[in-house]
Amino acid sequence: MPSDSANKKTASTTKKAPTAEQMAAKQQEISVTEFFEKNKQILGFDSRSKSLLMGIKEAVDNSLDACEEANILPDIEVRVEKIDDEDYHISIEDNGPGIVHRMIPNVFGRLLYGSRFHALRQSRGQQGIGISATVMYGNITTGKPAHVQSKVEGEYIANSMDIVIDTKTNRPIVSNDAPFVWEGKEHGTKIEYTIKGRYITGKQSVFEYLKNTAIVNPHALITFHDPEGKKYVFERATDMMPPRPKEIKPHPEGMEIGDLMKYSSNSAQKTIGAFLKNDFSRITDRLAKEILEISKVDGNKSPNKLTREEAIAILGAIKQVKIMAPPTDCLSPIGDTLIKKGLMHVLDGLRPEYYATPVTRSPKAVNGNPFVVEAGIVYGGDIPSDSQVQILRFANRVPLLYQQGACAITKAISEMDWRRYGLEQRGGKGIPFGPAIILVHVASTKVPFTSEGKEAVAGFPELQSEIGLALRLCARNLKSHLNKMERKNKTHAKFEIVQEILPDMAKKAADHLGRPVPNLDRTITRIMNVVWVEPSVKKDGKTKRTFTYTVYNYTNTVRTFRLHAQLPKECLKDLSLYSSPYFLDINDEGKANWEIREIQPSTNVTVSFDLTGDMADTFDADDIYFSGLNPVMVMGAEMLPGDWGIKGMEIVESADDYVTEDDEKEEEEEEEDLDDE
């Protein structure tokens, strides 16, 4: 046996590895799927109810994107079936272009894999995470694979397969891969998966998400089957497809050093001058030379040899030259008319009193990415008046249902003083109270979300400022309407008294005195002293409206003025405007003008026209304007905004600007006559 001294010697020669070596032995690569598997909340899968909704949202977003890229009117069917207390079977089917067989596993079974991440254009999905994350979540919560079916247009055979994601390698595991005949289906994709979730109703429900999706995607037909077997159909409101956004080159504004060096190392250009001119948007040959002169960088040098110091100098020079904002054909805003159409189509059950004319702002840029802000307000009807207004938030035509308080849209709404626009707001800050719904949509090539879950928009100053400006313009439209209705109601009451009570009193007095009933036209005219524009609408089916404006001259003077209206451009083909003797002209934007010449006191004339088409109901009969008269004496129409550019008739900014010597003389004579009487 070895001695004790030998044992001690052996132990002393066997030393432990250094701590750093032990730690190094434990380090290993983590796949992106494994990371998100352990951090599901980052993707929005942080509760059972939210997880169920997020999966449906990602699939519907992909379906809408695919249909629009293929110029197909979307027809999407969503079905939620309850299996037990927590397990739900979800299926989403569309009529898109389909997915080729070899790409199906990667699209649904691999995170950070897609076609839109590097494309600088507006789209709902960009990161290549959403639908594959849904498949992953279903795999890990229920152990069941997702089932995918897809058929490409023009092919007789469709393909189906089951997909599970290997979280260690971020690769799909495919089983039951087989072709089949999809009867009655020309093209499209269907995904089915089982997920642990909780189906709820209310503000953050699947139904609410699909309803809001229908508002900003009025070209889509969405059918929803809930777990109780009820069927809801959000009908297509229009056959007009949104303009297809084009891919653009990166814009140098706000670019970081690393971005510039990455672009230069991957450039196919031979010189830095050509690199600046051809690899970025809005950089002309003149601007490229100016940037190189300021930065003192050799423009003939190869771009892949650009140094860090030269990149810093170029970025500094870019800040000193004036570069146009990025092109905006990479965006697809909804547009004023379609926002109103979507709101009317979905919110018709609330019977709103007024849809404030939606506002689409001019495009701006933040960090080199172009964006557009749109806003709309719905007021009155059956909308509750004793609670906070409902806020509908959208980004790239996708509803944002969570993290409302952290969103730049909510912050912009809360910072406005809504009291001046007719809504209640305690302390002049916070979400206002009143019978209103506020809609805000942000469209961008890269919406700055606060997280990968895409639930709230980050508060960049440029973005929040544009949201505030859009809301103010829309709120002014609402305030103008409320003021007009208040004046109109008061004048209506006066009008009814004059038109009904005075003739009745005159008749009784004449009968009592045995004299003929006097003509009260001049007296009524003198008391009213307004030009009255009375609108009426006649509906003929779903797609035809007849608008009639009766104009009364309740003044003592012959009047000549113009009426103006912004008609839906989509209805211009079938207009009956031209038959009206008062019709003047109409431009390509739908701005129509009528001229009413020498309307006599105590008389009236009628202007009438038809609108035909899906957008006919988006024109509000109350949205009529006038020019050429003192605004104080006109009832039922608003003064024409100064940006219309109408020639031949003076446009004024306020009532005081239009008080002429004749008006003052006439008012003095009328006051003297009334004193005499």
Side-chain angles (χ1 to χ4, degrees):
M1 292 183 66
S3 63
D4 292 340
S5 60
N7 288 334
K8 290 178 181 178
K9 185 177 181 181
T10 303
S12 63
T13 57
T14 307
K15 294 181 179 179
K16 288 186 178 180
T19 303
E21 290 290 342
Q22 296 179 39
M23 294 174 65
K26 296 178 182 179
Q27 292 173 351
Q28 57 182 306
E29 182 181 355
I30 303 171
S31 79
V32 63
T33 313
E34 196 172 10
F35 171 79
F36 283 123
E37 178 189 15
K38 295 182 178 180
N39 297 277
K40 298 181 288 292
Q41 73 282 355
I42 295 177
L43 300 177
F45 298 98
D46 52 358
S47 70
R48 291 292 193 228
S49 58
K50 190 175 176 183
S51 298
L52 188 143
L53 171 62
M54 290 299 292
I56 293 173
K57 171 184 173 296
E58 297 296 349
V60 170
D61 288 352
N62 282 6
S63 294
L64 289 168
D65 272 337
C67 288
E68 289 173 10
E69 284 187 35
N71 201 33
I72 298 170
L73 284 169
D75 188 345
I76 300 172
E77 185 169 13
V78 178
R79 192 180 296 269
V80 179
E81 299 175 84
K82 188 173 183 178
I83 299 174
D84 54 35
D85 288 344
E86 281 194 325
D87 287 6
Y88 287 84
H89 183 262
I90 313 293
S91 72
I92 298 95
E93 180 180 342
D94 64 49
N95 64 331
I99 305 171
V100 295
H101 176 257
R102 70 179 184 278
M103 300 305 297
I104 294 175
N106 286 328
V107 170
F108 293 95
R110 191 172 173 185
L111 270 70
L112 294 179
Y113 186 92
S115 61
R116 305 185 189 105
F117 182 77
H118 297 97
L120 288 177
R121 58 183 170 86
Q122 177 185 331
S123 64
R124 295 170 183 83
Q126 288 184 336
Q127 300 166 332
I129 292 178
I131 192 62
S132 48
T134 300
V135 172
M136 178 196 71
Y137 186 76
N139 293 164
I140 62 178
T141 56
T142 67
K144 296 181 180 180
H147 181 71
V148 180
Q149 299 175 193
S150 190
K151 183 179 180 182
V152 177
E153 185 176 11
E155 295 187 3
Y156 177 72
I157 297 297
N159 295 285
S160 70
M161 62 183 71
D162 293 338
I163 298 175
V164 172
I165 299 180
D166 184 345
T167 57
K168 288 287 185 183
T169 62
N170 188 31
R171 290 294 186 273
I173 301 173
V174 176
S175 59
N176 299 323
D177 184 359
F180 74 103
V181 177
W182 198 341
E183 296 289 349
K185 193 77 171 180
E186 294 184 3
H187 48 80
T189 301
K190 180 179 182 179
I191 177 171
E192 300 176 78
Y193 59 91
T194 304
I195 192 172
K196 284 198 177 293
R198 183 166 67 93
Y199 183 83
I200 62 172
T201 58
K203 289 184 178 180
Q204 297 174 335
S205 63
V206 175
F207 174 83
E208 194 71 15
Y209 159 73
L210 295 175
K211 182 187 79 172
N212 290 351
T213 299
I215 289 175
V216 291
N217 297 277
H219 61 291
L221 170 63
I222 302 175
T223 305
F224 174 49
H225 305 267
D226 75 3
E228 296 180 357
K230 294 181 181 178
K231 180 180 177 181
Y232 303 90
V233 180
F234 300 99
E235 296 285 354
R236 183 176 289 115
T238 177
D239 290 338
M240 289 178 55
M241 290 287 290
R244 186 176 176 180
K246 298 179 181 179
E247 187 173 345
I248 63 169
K249 297 175 183 177
H251 192 274
E253 182 183 338
M255 189 172 293
E256 303 290 348
I257 298 171
D259 291 331
L260 182 60
M261 297 191 71
K262 179 187 69 175
Y263 288 132
S264 66
S265 63
N266 295 328
S267 176
Q269 304 299 324
K270 301 297 183 183
T271 65
I272 292 179
F275 162 64
L276 291 174
K277 178 184 174 183
N278 299 320
D279 287 7
F280 295 97
S281 63
R282 301 304 197 192
I283 298 292
T284 62
D285 188 51
R286 179 188 63 80
L287 280 174
K289 291 179 180 177
E290 189 176 347
I291 291 169
L292 291 171
E293 287 176 5
I294 296 173
S295 63
K296 297 180 181 179
V297 173
D298 183 5
N300 295 318
K301 185 178 179 179
S302 175
N304 56 26
K305 294 182 179 179
L306 186 73
T307 66
R308 179 177 175 275
E309 289 72 20
E310 289 172 333
I312 293 173
I314 288 175
L315 289 177
I318 286 173
K319 294 178 181 178
Q320 297 180 47
V321 299
K322 190 172 183 179
I323 303 175
M324 289 179 63
T328 56
D329 53 2
C330 58
L331 301 178
S332 178
I334 305 166
D336 303 353
T337 305
L338 285 178
I339 288 177
K340 190 172 183 179
K341 181 68 176 180
L343 287 168
M344 294 177 71
H345 192 68
V346 176
L347 302 178
D348 186 56
L350 294 174
R351 296 187 296 244
E353 167 194 327
Y354 181 66
Y355 294 87
T357 304
V359 171
T360 299
R361 293 282 298 166
S362 299
K364 301 289 181 182
V366 57
N367 290 344
N369 296 298
F371 71 91
V372 167
V373 173
E374 302 178 288
I377 298 178
V378 181
Y379 184 86
D382 294 337
I383 302 173
S385 59
D386 56 350
S387 58
Q388 288 184 328
V389 302
Q390 183 181 351
I391 300 174
L392 302 180
R393 299 174 296 131
F394 300 90
N396 285 356
R397 298 175 181 264
V398 177
L400 308 177
L401 299 184
Y402 290 90
Q403 294 189 18
Q404 176 173 293
C407 188
I409 293 173
T410 308
K411 291 177 182 176
I413 291 172
S414 300
E415 289 173 3
M416 270 184 63
D417 185 357
W418 289 93
R419 295 173 298 183
R420 59 194 300 184
Y421 301 110
L423 294 177
E424 180 188 349
Q425 190 179 33
R426 294 152 194 180
K429 280 193 175 183
I431 299 174
F433 287 74
I437 298 172
I438 300 174
L439 176 151
V440 176
H441 174 233
V442 177
S444 178
T445 56
K446 187 179 180 182
V447 177
F449 292 111
T450 57
S451 68
E452 288 82 357
K454 298 182 289 186
E455 298 163 341
V457 178
F460 284 97
E462 303 95 328
L463 182 58
Q464 198 158 325
S465 173
E466 277 297 302
I467 295 171
L469 290 171
L471 288 169
R472 281 175 176 80
L473 287 171
C474 212
R476 282 181 208 146
N477 293 334
L478 172 63
K479 180 62 175 176
S480 176
H481 167 76
L482 295 177
N483 289 342
K484 182 167 70 175
M485 289 300 103
E486 184 178 1
R487 287 181 59 213
K488 196 170 183 179
N489 290 337
K490 289 179 179 179
T491 310
H492 254 300
K494 180 180 177 182
F495 183 78
E496 289 174 2
I497 291 173
V498 171
Q499 286 287 75
E500 296 176 14
I501 296 179
L502 280 184
D504 189 45
M505 290 175 60
K507 185 177 182 304
K508 288 182 178 179
D511 291 344
H512 180 72
L513 298 173
R515 294 183 179 182
V517 179
N519 187 341
L520 298 178
D521 287 348
R522 186 170 181 272
T523 304
I524 292 174
T525 295
R526 183 176 297 156
I527 294 173
M528 294 300 297
N529 193 34
V530 294
V531 173
W532 185 286
V533 182
E534 184 67 31
S536 65
V537 185
K538 180 182 178 183
K539 299 180 181 179
D540 186 0
K542 291 185 177 180
T543 59
K544 184 176 180 181
R545 301 287 186 276
T546 299
F547 296 88
T548 302
Y549 294 92
T550 306
V551 183
Y552 301 88
N553 182 10
Y554 289 121
T555 71
N556 286 325
T557 305
V558 176
R559 298 291 179 183
T560 295
F561 58 95
R562 288 183 184 178
L563 293 179
H564 314 270
Q566 172 72 70
L567 306 179
K569 291 187 289 186
E570 297 78 11
C571 301
L572 298 186
K573 295 179 181 178
D574 304 312
L575 285 177
S576 61
L577 295 171
Y578 316 107
S579 59
S580 170
Y582 306 105
F583 175 71
L584 192 62
D585 56 40
I586 185 170
N587 66 13
D588 294 338
E589 297 297 315
K591 293 179 178 179
N593 308 292
W594 297 263
E595 187 166 58
I596 298 173
R597 300 195 64 82
E598 298 182 350
I599 178 173
Q600 299 294 319
S602 304
T603 62
N604 66 80
V605 299
T606 300
V607 173
S608 182
F609 60 90
D610 297 333
L611 289 182
T612 305
D614 289 339
M615 299 296 125
D617 58 349
T618 62
F619 177 68
D620 193 326
D622 285 324
D623 289 339
I624 192 78
Y625 303 94
F626 72 91
S627 62
L629 287 177
N630 184 342
V632 170
M633 65 174 58
V634 180
M635 185 59 57
E638 290 294 310
M639 186 174 63
L640 183 70
D643 58 356
W644 272 49
I646 302 297
K647 296 180 180 179
M649 186 69 70
E650 185 179 356
I651 311 300
V652 297
E653 296 299 327
S654 70
D656 295 336
D657 295 336
Y658 215 90
V659 178
T660 65
E661 292 182 3
D662 290 340
D663 291 327
E664 292 176 348
K665 185 177 180 181
E666 180 184 329
E667 289 174 5
E668 290 173 2
E669 290 175 351
E670 288 179 357
E671 288 176 3
E672 290 174 0
D673 290 342
L674 288 173
D675 289 340
D676 292 342
E677 291 179 4

